[in-house]
């Protein structure tokens, strides 16, 4: 097992970008990464969350809502901002983008979270078909997740 120091993470990203930008070389397939900030709970009212935070989710649903096809009904209410299946070489960038959206409204989001029985989860789904991404979160990303009291969930689907 090779362990890298967190400070090497940025250097890896710069070197990776340089490698992908070299003309004529075959590009390595990056992982498809979905990153999401999810507020969920049986008592959650997604519309109230939007009103209280001043933010619009990329997805939301109420417990019992029917979903397309043969999928079961929504098990619990949720409100989510998501970056879906984007090619990335690391798991931090999607969360950094989402947290940049949330950060200007952090006080409103935190007030809502404290007034509503709910859970907060930062969800990351990684689909690998060629090269695996760097599994590191920057200090700023971790601090912002912690500000909201978020749990972290990681699912990896390796199809190599």
């Amino acid at each position: 097992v090779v362990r890298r120091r967190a400070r090497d993470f940025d250097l890896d990203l710069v070197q990776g970008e340089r490698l992908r930008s070299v003309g004529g070389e075959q590009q390595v397939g990056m992982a498809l990464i979905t990153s999401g900030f999810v507020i969920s709970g049986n008592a959650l009212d997604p519309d109230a969350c939007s009103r209280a935070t001043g933010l619009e989710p990329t997805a939301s649903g109420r417990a019992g809502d029917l979903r397309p096809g043969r999928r079961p009904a929504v098990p619990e209410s949720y409100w989510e901002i998501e970056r879906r299946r984007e090619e990335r070489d690391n798991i931090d960038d999607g969360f950094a983008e989402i947290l940049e959206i949330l950060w200007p409204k952090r006080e409103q989001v935190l007030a809502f979270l404290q007034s509503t029985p709910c859970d907060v989860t930062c969800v990351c789904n990684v689909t690998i078909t060629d090269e695996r991404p760097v599994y590191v979160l920057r200090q700023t990303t971790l601090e912002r997740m912690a500000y909201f009291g978020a749990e972290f969930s990681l699912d990896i689907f390796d199809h190599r």
Side-chain angles (χ1 to χ4, degrees), residues 9 13 30-31 33 35 87-94 124 132-136 138:
F9 177 54
L13 295 179
M30 289 191 284
I33 300 177
S35 307
E87 282 192 342
R88 296 190 185 272
D89 58 7
N90 70 84
I91 66 168
D92 186 83
D93 287 350
C124 184
R132 69 173 187 79
V134 177
Y135 296 107
V136 174
R138 291 182 178 97

Side-chain angles (χ1 to χ4, degrees), residues 21-130:
S21 66
V22 174
E25 284 190 28
Q26 183 177 358
Q27 292 186 347
V28 174
M30 289 191 284
L32 292 175
I33 300 177
T34 298
S35 307
F37 179 90
V38 183
I39 301 172
S40 60
N42 292 327
L44 178 70
D45 177 350
D47 295 329
C49 183
S50 294
R51 284 191 305 276
T53 63
L55 296 167
E56 287 299 317
T58 54
S60 65
R62 295 180 186 277
D65 282 354
L66 297 178
R67 296 191 280 186
R70 295 182 170 187
R71 296 176 62 202
V74 173
E76 72 177 346
S77 298
Y78 71 97
W79 183 98
E80 176 177 23
I81 295 180
E82 179 181 66
R83 294 288 177 260
R84 186 158 199 58
R85 296 184 60 81
E86 296 179 339
E87 282 192 342
R88 296 190 185 272
D89 58 7
N90 70 84
I91 66 168
D92 186 83
D93 287 350
F95 288 118
E97 290 173 12
I98 291 167
L99 292 164
E100 278 299 314
I101 293 167
L102 293 164
W103 205 243
K105 301 283 191 170
R106 66 186 172 272
E107 292 175 4
Q108 295 93 321
V109 173
L110 188 60
F112 178 79
L113 295 173
Q114 292 171 340
S115 70
T116 306
C118 60
D119 296 311
V120 182
T121 308
C122 288
V123 178
C124 184
N125 293 320
V126 178
T127 301
I128 303 168
T129 56
D130 194 358

Side-chain angles (χ1 to χ4, degrees), residues 148-160:
F148 296 113
E151 294 181 352
F152 178 72
S153 171
L154 175 65
D155 283 327
I156 300 171
F157 306 95
D158 195 337
H159 297 285
R160 291 180 289 175

